[in-house]
Amino acid sequence: MLQIKPIISTLRHNKSGPLLLLLQIILSVAIVANASFIINERVQLMSRESGLVEDEVFDFTVYNFEEGVDYTAQNSRDMDIIRGLAGVKASTTSSMTPLSGGGWSSTFTYGQSEETAKDAPQAAIYYGDEQMVETLGVEMIAGRNFYQSEIESGHPNTANLAIVSQAFATVTWGDEPAVGQTIYAGGYGEQALKVIGVVKTLQGAWVNSSHLDNAIILNVELGLTSFNRFLVRAEPGLMTELKPQIIAALHKENKNRVIDGFTMITEHRKRVYRDHELMATVLSMMVILLLLITSLGLAGMVMFNIERRTKQIGTRRALGAKKRDIVSFFLVENYIICLTGGVIGALVAVQLGRQLMSVYSLPQLELIYPIATVVGLVVLTTVAVILPARKAAKISPAIATRSV
Amino acid sequence: MLSMKSISKVFKTDLVETHALRDFNLEVKEGEFVAVTGPSGSGKTTFLNIAGLLEGFTHGDYFLDGVNISNLSDNKSAAIRNEKIGFIFQGFNLIPDLNLAENVEVPLRYRGFNAAERKRRVQHALEQVGLAARMKHLPSQLSGGQQQRVAIARALAGEPRFLLADEPTGNLDSMMARQVMELLEEINKAGTTIIMVTHDPELARRAQRNIQIVDGQVCDFTMYQGGAEKPHLVSDTESPSDGQQAQTEQVAG
């Protein structure tokens, strides 16, 4: 039986220990709830789909330092060499690499007339050729890919066709089909870009941007500068072998250049999310430590109480308490402390969440986190209390007749 | 009411075996007031613990109220302690954090009585010992004698068939001890069987029957309350006199 009233009487007459434990639980709940919320937010950020086959794609850069080189022609020759290597599934020149933390982005204009024109949201811009879609491994869900004959070379302002991400299409045109729409690079009417296809997911380079899922592929093989970036999709497992082959093949074509920066997309992802991962790891350690300290506090308090109440437990057993009554006594006593601390801690957690929201621009704490923390605390209390309580239940009732 | 036949209790360690009770035989009838005396270490407390189902025994048979309690489960033993036996301890064993009413209520909660029934019984038990007006006080606010009366109220609240009192006056001065003894006598007169362990020969003499335990065995002699006859120790080599035959029980061997 629960015996809540006499347990509360007992707690009222022995305030110091329970009050300290209560304070510990309040702080634990407040911190654990907010930390769990932040951890989950970071984990969700890190687990967002980029839309790419990340474990098959890598990038590298070529720095040409020979004067008088036609970069556009050099790019075309390099592209042919790379695509001719065994193990290369697809490759393209690119203005940027997804999840790399750096690249090109812009806003666009769209609308039926100059008067009604609107700005489309910020989007990452990938300049590439007809193999860009296959190289990235993104899924085409509407329209078509570029034809080889549609690829322009040289300057970005030669682009006239676009493949957009679904996120960009939805935020720009809503439920209207994106294929067939026109966007303008710059003001209304300047450099029209006709949307010919939509890919399901394609992220940009900046993982902390709210426009990460807005991306556009434009039909230009860049050849403006001595610096050029290539994206390559390799057969699984062949990426390591391909690196020396690519360097050797491109040097054979023209040795006056530096070929460097071979990086897998998975490596880019790891680097670009490093801060989030660190934050989640540190907070997770803190949560584990706090829960460990709280459970040790609970177990310590129970063991102290058992030691202090040995004769009392024996007397209760002599008066008719069954073993389960003794276990229940300690469980209920600690559930009362835990739930009282949990409820107060949850309120503090919400208030703390509001402060964090206003000071650090974090999202508002969802109520499920303090609630889940309290539920977790009840489980923790059970685990921490049950073993000492079962030990207490084994105290012989004959203790009651002992004079010391 | 209570029947122990050839009970023995052996405490074993790696090095030594201690026989706390040996071939212990005892019959206690309903309504009796039995005092148990004996020197320290004679086995009085072991007898009390076994009689009160606080610990088990090594050999023998024990019937309480007709029930063989030799191989009872822990839960069943707890239930019998709660329903049939009232305990009065030398150190009172009140729970210091609970007030008098809550202390008296402890065994009633384990019995599963509802709140109204518990309240009625607590009120009645505390009235019996003259402390109903102080039911909200803590034990620390009472004298030793008053605390023992609360313990008696706690023992009575469950309306047990018999009371086991372990040195109930051991921690009290003579005036308090007399008051507590008078209370126990009243309870006995009302029909409750009492077995009282005591060191005090004066108190033992006030019981209907005096049992002496020596070296874990019973030396049983009858002593009438207020009687003029000198108590007669019976051993297994000596038969009781004819005049005592009817009141004297078999001595343990």
Side-chain angles (χ1 to χ4, degrees):
Chain A
M1 71 177 309
L2 291 179
Q3 305 188 67
I4 290 172
K5 193 167 163 254
I7 288 173
I8 289 173
S9 289
T10 304
L11 290 172
R12 268 187 19 233
H13 289 106
N14 292 285
K15 293 190 191 80
S16 332
L19 272 179
L20 283 173
L21 190 57
L22 191 72
L23 192 63
Q24 187 183 347
I25 289 171
I26 291 169
L27 290 174
S28 294
V29 171
I31 295 169
V32 168
N34 278 285
S36 306
F37 176 61
I38 294 169
I39 291 166
N40 188 49
E41 195 209 0
R42 300 294 154 136
V43 169
Q44 281 187 357
L45 278 178
M46 289 189 285
S47 61
R48 287 175 300 182
E49 287 290 326
S50 65
L52 282 67
V53 280
E54 294 179 16
D55 53 350
E56 293 184 14
V57 182
F58 64 94
D59 69 340
F60 65 93
T61 50
V62 175
Y63 301 90
N64 290 290
F65 51 83
E66 191 179 21
E67 289 185 1
V69 173
D70 178 348
Y71 298 125
T72 305
Q74 181 68 67
N75 278 348
S76 294
R77 289 197 298 276
D78 290 346
M79 206 74 265
D80 289 342
I81 290 167
I82 293 166
R83 287 172 182 168
L85 291 172
V88 173
K89 288 168 89 172
S91 66
T92 179
T93 57
S94 179
S95 55
M96 60 186 276
T97 303
L99 306 182
S100 63
W104 299 35
S105 77
S106 182
T107 55
F108 297 84
T109 311
Y110 71 103
Q112 298 301 318
S113 66
E114 191 163 3
E115 289 72 30
T116 60
K118 297 177 189 170
D119 286 335
Q122 186 97 12
I125 307 172
Y126 292 89
Y127 290 96
D129 61 25
E130 76 284 357
Q131 286 202 11
M132 175 66 91
V133 169
E134 191 187 347
T135 303
L136 296 175
V138 290
E139 181 187 354
M140 185 77 80
I141 57 170
R144 64 171 178 84
N145 193 5
F146 305 129
Y147 298 130
Q148 190 178 8
S149 58
E150 292 171 334
I151 302 303
E152 304 293 336
S153 294
H155 201 277
N157 62 13
T158 57
N160 53 18
L161 298 175
I163 295 171
V164 301
S165 67
Q166 188 178 23
F168 178 85
T170 303
V171 79
T172 306
W173 296 290
D175 293 335
E176 284 183 53
V179 176
Q181 302 277 4
T182 301
I183 52 176
Y184 302 95
Y188 186 82
E190 296 174 17
Q191 193 185 351
L193 301 163
K194 187 180 176 189
V195 177
I196 62 163
V198 179
V199 292
K200 189 177 179 185
T201 307
L202 175 56
Q203 290 187 331
W206 308 274
V207 293
N208 294 326
S209 165
S210 57
H211 304 297
L212 178 64
D213 290 325
N214 294 340
I216 297 175
I217 304 170
L218 299 178
N219 60 328
V220 176
E221 186 183 67
L222 289 177
L224 275 181
T225 64
S226 58
F227 165 86
N228 206 9
R229 185 190 309 273
F230 292 86
L231 291 174
V232 179
R233 183 175 174 188
E235 297 285 356
L238 291 183
M239 195 156 9
T240 313
E241 292 176 25
L242 274 172
K243 179 182 170 183
Q245 291 178 28
I246 289 171
I247 293 172
L250 294 185
H251 274 157
K252 190 176 176 186
E253 206 287 321
N254 179 354
K255 64 179 180 180
N256 293 325
R257 47 198 182 157
V258 174
I259 301 153
D260 196 14
F262 286 83
T263 311
M264 293 158 62
I265 299 295
T266 48
E267 290 173 298
H268 281 299
R269 168 181 279 280
K270 199 165 184 177
R271 186 177 56 77
V272 82
Y273 280 118
R274 189 180 297 145
D275 289 349
H276 295 286
E277 193 179 356
L278 183 67
M279 169 81 87
T281 305
V282 169
L283 287 178
S284 298
M285 298 287 282
M286 196 176 75
V287 165
I288 290 168
L289 206 61
L290 267 174
L291 293 178
L292 187 68
I293 290 169
T294 306
S295 57
L296 286 177
L298 280 162
M301 177 68 82
V302 174
M303 286 193 270
F304 171 73
N305 279 332
I306 289 168
E307 196 70 30
R308 192 171 62 90
R309 296 176 184 160
T310 300
K311 186 142 191 168
Q312 188 189 122
I313 294 164
T315 303
R316 285 179 181 275
R317 294 275 287 128
L319 296 176
K322 298 179 176 71
K323 285 182 176 175
R324 64 167 179 267
D325 292 321
I326 301 298
V327 173
S328 149
F329 179 91
F330 284 103
L331 278 175
V332 171
E333 183 178 58
N334 285 283
Y335 283 150
I336 289 171
I337 297 172
C338 156
L339 287 174
T340 308
V343 170
I344 299 171
L347 295 173
V348 175
V350 171
Q351 192 55 39
L352 181 65
R354 283 184 184 152
Q355 296 300 319
L356 289 173
M357 187 177 70
S358 61
V359 176
Y360 297 106
S361 303
L362 287 172
Q364 187 171 2
L365 176 70
E366 292 169 23
L367 276 180
I368 188 67
Y369 285 89
I371 292 169
T373 305
V374 174
V375 171
L377 198 65
V378 171
V379 175
L380 191 75
T381 302
T382 308
V383 173
V385 172
I386 195 84
L387 285 179
R390 286 174 71 168
K391 193 178 159 197
K394 287 179 184 164
I395 290 173
S396 167
I399 289 282
T401 57
R402 290 192 192 152
S403 52
V404 285
Chain B
M1 179 73 204
L2 180 150
S3 170
M4 288 184 173
K5 291 175 183 169
S6 300
I7 293 286
S8 66
K9 175 71 178 181
V10 181
F11 293 102
K12 284 182 184 172
T13 66
D14 292 341
L15 298 173
V16 68
E17 225 176 55
T18 307
H19 292 259
L21 293 181
R22 285 184 290 187
D23 197 18
F24 190 98
N25 294 287
L26 181 67
E27 298 280 340
V28 176
K29 294 185 179 66
E30 182 141 20
E32 275 194 295
F33 190 153
V34 178
V36 179
T37 58
S40 291
S42 59
K44 297 191 302 293
T45 301
T46 303
F47 156 70
L48 190 87
N49 286 345
I50 291 172
L53 279 61
L54 300 181
E55 62 182 284
F57 45 91
T58 313
H59 296 293
D61 290 308
Y62 174 22
F63 292 88
L64 180 66
D65 214 13
V67 178
N68 186 347
I69 54 96
S70 301
N71 287 309
L72 288 182
S73 68
D74 190 81
N75 279 354
K76 188 68 181 166
S77 293
I80 290 177
R81 283 198 297 271
N82 184 264
E83 287 173 27
K84 295 182 187 259
I85 308 171
F87 288 95
I88 302 165
F89 304 101
Q90 180 179 1
F92 323 135
N93 291 22
L94 297 176
I95 296 168
D97 306 321
L98 303 181
N99 65 32
L100 306 194
E102 287 167 338
N103 263 290
V104 175
E105 201 181 30
V106 168
L108 305 180
R109 284 182 174 272
Y110 295 130
R111 185 88 70 94
F113 288 131
N114 62 35
E117 179 64 13
R118 291 201 304 268
K119 190 177 175 185
R120 186 189 70 74
R121 283 176 179 249
V122 167
Q123 178 77 27
H124 179 64
L126 284 171
E127 277 170 1
Q128 273 185 286
V129 299
L131 287 167
R134 305 187 69 176
M135 62 168 62
K136 297 295 177 191
H137 286 66
L138 289 172
S140 57
Q141 295 170 305
L142 305 182
S143 69
Q146 288 171 322
Q147 288 188 43
Q148 192 58 297
R149 277 154 60 192
V150 175
I152 293 171
R154 181 178 64 187
L156 289 177
E159 297 174 0
R161 297 289 304 278
F162 81 104
L163 287 185
L164 282 176
D166 179 22
E167 301 274 8
T169 59
N171 284 357
L172 304 177
D173 61 34
S174 56
M175 193 180 76
M176 294 284 189
R178 195 170 61 247
Q179 286 177 2
V180 166
M181 194 60 200
E182 282 166 4
L183 185 57
L184 290 177
E185 283 167 348
E186 277 177 37
I187 292 163
N188 176 244
K189 277 178 192 164
T192 305
T193 309
I194 297 178
I195 297 175
M196 176 181 71
V197 169
T198 181
H199 270 109
D200 187 339
E202 186 67 31
L203 289 180
R205 211 166 284 136
R206 293 176 66 163
Q208 289 171 359
R209 186 148 66 98
N210 195 336
I211 294 166
Q212 190 169 25
I213 300 178
V214 178
D215 292 337
Q217 294 178 304
V218 173
C219 292
D220 188 358
F221 57 91
T222 304
M223 182 173 68
Y224 293 101
Q225 192 169 4
E229 285 182 69
K230 189 181 177 185
H232 177 74
L233 181 63
V234 181
S235 75
D236 55 356
T237 56
E238 183 185 3
S239 298
S241 67
D242 290 342
Q244 291 170 319
Q245 186 85 46
Q247 292 83 27
T248 305
E249 294 175 17
Q250 180 58 48
V251 177

